């Protein structure tokens, strides 16, 4: 059952080709044998996985469980709480924190009979785009281990790409589901802000954070979204579902659709391979019945990245104040008074990138600078939202790159944070405006690394976006990581 989609694993279980326990054993064996090469997982508890799988199998046999997800394993990013398991956010400060409860999204997947395989590596507190800021070492891209799998949900993307999980949860504050999915040749689904509860997702920037899905294709992503999207009173920003359950997508999901390509995103912000991938996707979409035109997003292109980083850091500096050596996780071993305990705990517990952002966030929120930075960033955000509202008056979808290029080499620009931040230009806009967006594989670079495009829709346009993505994906070839066929993944 290796390399099977969620749907294939699930129908195999229902047709009694294999049991949930057998499926779990296959993935556990793969992880034990191959994960040391990539570093996808931070925690795997084989005993727990097996007992969950046996319990779900019994429910299926008694006819008590007939969800299309029953018995299918899933990897979960390590900033999403799973009861009784470590939730470290890839940070020393939470190294030994065991969550006493399930995130709402996890709870819903467990109710649907999914089996939690383990917790995946990420950038510390989801701050980064390469999984290199993890306190526990980087994850490597299974397509080529000299390259980053992207981030911050790099462990989740690498696990699915290497065949160490059929599907995974990630979180997306500024692109962390879409970009790693794109770098690993997968489909990355970021829902409308508020459609999946954030309860149990460790907060980075609360007005931008969403839980998303990294899958092998859009149909698997849609199945999981369907199981997770619901109003939750435990999350004050959660919104009710607009419609009932998703039906099968129309085959002609692109016919008559108006698609805009922001010129600014291609001209200076994408390399030639990526620009060619977007142009070729546009041609395919036209052939499938869409009307594709160039559009302009001048405000978003000029201010998106700056507004995003000011707002994200400001919110992070407030959210991460809770890690104080008292309520959660580690406390420095030696200290004098309370202030020293606080200073040392945070000094030892957080890594360099997290500290950089907490300082920046505290600065832009401070009395003398609030008006100059934070307030201006919020104004820019309001104008960006308006720019998208105006575009969606005339267009159904926006098409662009999921990143400026294919996956960079590990260590790329490590000492140049601003250059790294700039590379998020294509993804942060959807978070600032709360839009649903999906990254889809679109061929390979000359070096043999996946390229990813992105489609975006107006808020709550999930069904339109699923249908359009399905129609496109039906027409293009699926990418399969060569490492799954036992081929080399060395840097060449
Ligand atoms: N790369 C972006 C950042 O570092 C996005 C991260 C994310 O989506 N969690 O903030």
């Amino acid at each position: 059952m290796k390399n099977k989609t969620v749907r294939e694993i699930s129908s195999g279980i229902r047709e009694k080709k294999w049991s949930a326990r057998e499926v779990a054993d296959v993935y556990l064996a793969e992880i034990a044998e191959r994960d040391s090469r990539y570093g996808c997982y931070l925690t795997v508890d084989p005993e727990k996985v097996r007992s969950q799988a046996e319990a779900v199998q019994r429910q299926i046999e008694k006819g008590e469980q007939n969800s299309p997800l029953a018995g299918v394993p899933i990897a979960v990013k390590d900033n999403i709480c799973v009861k009784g398991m470590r939730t470290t956010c890839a940070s020393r400060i939470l190294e030994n924190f065991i969550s006493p409860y399930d995130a709402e999204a996890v709870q819903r997947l467990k109710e649907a009979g999914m089996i939690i395989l383990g917790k995946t590596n990420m950038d510390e507190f989801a701050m980064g785009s390469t999984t290199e800021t993890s306190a526990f070492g980087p994850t490597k891209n299974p397509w080529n281990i000299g390259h980053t799998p992207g981030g911050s949900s790099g462990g989740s993307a690498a696990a699915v790409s290497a065949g160490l999980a059929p599907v995974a949860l990630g979180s997306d504050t500024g692109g962390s589901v879409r970009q790693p999915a794109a770098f690993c040749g997968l489909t990355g689904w970021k829902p409308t802000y508020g459609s999946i509860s954030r309860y149990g997702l460790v907060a980075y920037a609360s007005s931008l954070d969403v839980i998303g899905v990294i899958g092998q294709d859009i149909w698997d992503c849609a199945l999981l979204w369907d199981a997770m999207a619901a109003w939750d009173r435990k999350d004050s920003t959660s919104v009710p579902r607009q419609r009932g359950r998703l039906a099968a997508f129309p085959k002609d999901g692109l016919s008559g659709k108006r698609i805009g390509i922001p010129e600014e995103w291609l001209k200076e912000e994408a390399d030639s391979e990526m620009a060619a991938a977007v142009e070729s996707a546009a041609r395919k979409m036209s052939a499938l019945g869409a009307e594709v035109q160039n559009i302009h997003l001048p405000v978003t292109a000029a201010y998106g990245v700056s507004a995003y980083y000011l707002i994200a850091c400001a919110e992070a500096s407030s959210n991460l104040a809770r890690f104080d050596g008292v309520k959660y996780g580690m406390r420095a071993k030696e200290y004098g008074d309370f202030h020293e305990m606080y200073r040392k705990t945070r000094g030892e517990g957080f890594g360099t990138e997290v500290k950089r952002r907490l300082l920046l966030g505290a600065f832009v929120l401070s009395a003398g600078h609030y008006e100059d930075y934070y307030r201006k960033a919020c104004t820019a955000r309001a104008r960006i939202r308006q720019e998208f509202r105006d575009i969606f008056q005339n267009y159904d979808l926006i098409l662009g790159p999921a990143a400026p290029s294919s996956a960079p080499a590990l260590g790329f620009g490590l000492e140049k944070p601003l250059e790294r931040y700039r590379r998020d230009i294509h993804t942060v806009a959807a978070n600032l405006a709360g839009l649903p967006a999906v990254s889809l594989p679109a061929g390979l670079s000359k070096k043999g690394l996946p390229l990813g495009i992105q489609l975006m829709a107006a808020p709550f346009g999930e069904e339109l976006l699923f249908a359009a993505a399905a129609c496109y994906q039906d027409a293009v070839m699926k990418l399969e990581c060569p490492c799954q066929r036992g081929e080399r993944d060395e840097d060449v």
Side-chain angles (χ1 to χ4, degrees):
M1 82 222 26
K2 253 180 76 182
N3 310 344
K4 295 265 184 288
T5 61
V6 168
R7 297 168 333 278
E8 288 164 339
I9 294 176
S10 154
S11 58
I13 293 175
R14 273 175 284 155
E15 288 158 16
K16 300 199 169 57
K17 277 200 213 146
W18 43 65
S19 69
R21 167 68 197 255
E22 282 164 335
V23 177
D25 280 335
V26 167
Y27 281 97
L28 288 172
E30 288 289 322
I31 294 169
E33 194 185 315
R34 292 170 49 234
D35 192 38
S36 57
R37 198 166 169 73
Y38 309 117
C40 306
Y41 285 92
L42 294 177
T43 306
V44 179
D45 182 341
E47 279 319 303
K48 254 194 206 140
V49 175
R50 290 192 188 103
S51 64
Q52 276 182 74
E54 278 166 12
V56 169
Q57 185 65 37
R58 280 194 296 275
Q59 286 178 342
I60 296 172
E61 278 160 18
K62 282 199 233 151
E64 292 166 2
Q65 176 57 276
N66 45 30
S67 147
L69 297 172
V72 180
I74 181 165
V76 176
K77 185 176 181 180
D78 209 19
N79 59 349
I80 301 173
C81 291
V82 177
K83 190 173 177 176
M85 287 185 92
R86 277 194 330 151
T87 297
T88 69
C89 293
S91 181
R92 292 264 169 241
I93 211 159
L94 285 177
E95 191 166 2
N96 298 314
F97 173 70
I98 307 224
S99 173
Y101 67 96
D102 279 325
E104 175 70 10
V106 168
Q107 166 83 28
R108 289 187 162 267
L109 295 181
K110 280 186 175 172
E111 278 163 15
M114 287 201 99
I115 313 297
I116 313 296
L117 261 183
K119 305 296 295 291
T120 54
N121 198 16
M122 54 185 278
D123 283 294
E124 186 176 1
F125 283 102
M127 297 178 188
S129 332
T130 61
T131 315
E132 289 167 291
T133 72
S134 166
F136 308 117
T139 299
K140 295 170 182 163
N141 191 322
W143 285 77
N144 183 323
I145 56 171
H147 288 249
T148 167
S152 63
S153 314
S156 286
V160 178
S161 165
L164 306 183
V167 67
L169 289 189
S171 67
D172 193 314
T173 304
S176 282
V177 158
R178 287 160 287 156
Q179 181 256 35
F183 284 178
C184 292
L186 302 165
T187 301
W189 177 259
K190 175 219 175 281
T192 302
Y193 180 77
S195 72
I196 294 178
S197 169
R198 287 183 294 114
Y199 178 75
L201 165 67
V202 179
Y204 162 13
S206 313
S207 76
L208 303 158
D209 294 340
V210 292
I211 289 180
V213 185
I214 298 180
Q216 297 172 64
D217 58 34
I218 190 66
W219 296 274
D220 278 2
C221 291
L223 264 182
L224 266 85
W225 180 83
D226 214 19
M228 291 187 289
W231 178 74
D232 175 17
R233 67 176 179 78
K234 300 186 290 313
D235 171 0
S236 62
T237 56
S238 144
V239 288
R241 277 282 281 262
Q242 305 283 301
R243 301 248 185 102
R245 298 192 77 77
L246 284 177
F249 306 128
K251 280 271 177 206
D252 58 352
L254 276 165
S255 82
K257 295 288 173 293
R258 298 198 65 191
I259 302 181
I261 304 183
E263 248 178 42
E264 296 88 347
W265 282 358
L266 287 188
K267 267 198 192 139
E268 282 138 45
E269 307 292 352
D271 73 4
S272 58
E273 289 185 311
M274 182 54 83
V278 172
E279 277 151 20
S280 137
R283 280 194 296 278
K284 284 206 183 86
M285 290 179 190
S286 304
L288 292 164
E291 193 186 318
V292 188
Q293 281 169 2
N294 283 344
I295 55 168
H296 290 283
L297 290 174
V299 181
T300 308
Y303 302 113
V305 173
S306 317
Y308 168 79
Y309 273 93
L310 291 175
I311 292 169
C313 292
E315 292 186 20
S317 81
S318 158
N319 274 328
L320 272 61
R322 72 191 68 174
F323 303 109
D324 54 7
V326 179
K327 295 192 274 298
Y328 306 92
M330 69 161 262
R331 177 184 296 185
K333 291 221 163 47
E334 284 166 33
Y335 52 86
D337 60 1
F338 169 77
H339 291 287
E340 196 184 358
M341 185 277 284
Y342 189 85
R343 221 170 29 243
K344 276 190 147 181
T345 299
R346 289 169 67 87
E348 291 164 19
F350 291 134
T352 312
E353 183 61 26
V354 173
K355 285 181 190 157
R356 183 181 356 256
R357 296 190 188 202
L358 297 186
L359 287 174
L360 179 67
F363 174 79
V364 302
L365 289 177
S366 60
H369 302 285
Y370 185 92
E371 298 293 330
D372 289 343
Y373 296 102
Y374 183 68
R375 171 93 67 209
K376 278 194 185 152
C378 292
T379 306
R381 182 180 192 175
R383 288 185 56 198
I384 289 168
R385 295 176 87 106
Q386 188 57 47
E387 192 162 71
F388 279 106
R389 267 197 292 272
D390 293 344
I391 290 287
F392 286 122
Q393 294 288 320
N394 296 314
Y395 293 87
D396 301 291
L397 298 161
I398 295 175
L399 167 67
S405 67
S406 60
L410 285 165
F412 165 89
L414 211 48
E415 298 309 318
K416 296 183 185 141
L418 291 180
E419 255 175 54
R420 285 198 159 201
Y421 298 171
R422 182 92 207 142
R423 291 181 55 85
D424 293 334
I425 183 156
H426 302 109
T427 45
V428 295
N431 302 77
L432 288 167
L435 314 175
V438 60
S439 62
L440 299 158
L444 296 178
S445 73
K446 278 192 218 79
K447 225 184 156 192
L449 290 166
L451 292 160
I453 53 150
Q454 181 180 206
L455 273 178
M456 300 156 79
F460 306 106
E462 334 282 315
E463 284 180 51
L464 165 71
L465 193 51
F466 279 129
C471 183
Y472 170 76
Q473 208 156 56
D474 236 353
V476 294
M477 274 214 338
K478 185 173 163 180
L479 295 181
E480 189 191 51
C481 182
C483 80
Q484 292 209 34
R485 301 191 296 269
E487 287 171 25
R488 50 185 293 151
D489 50 21
E490 284 100 52
D491 200 20
V492 281

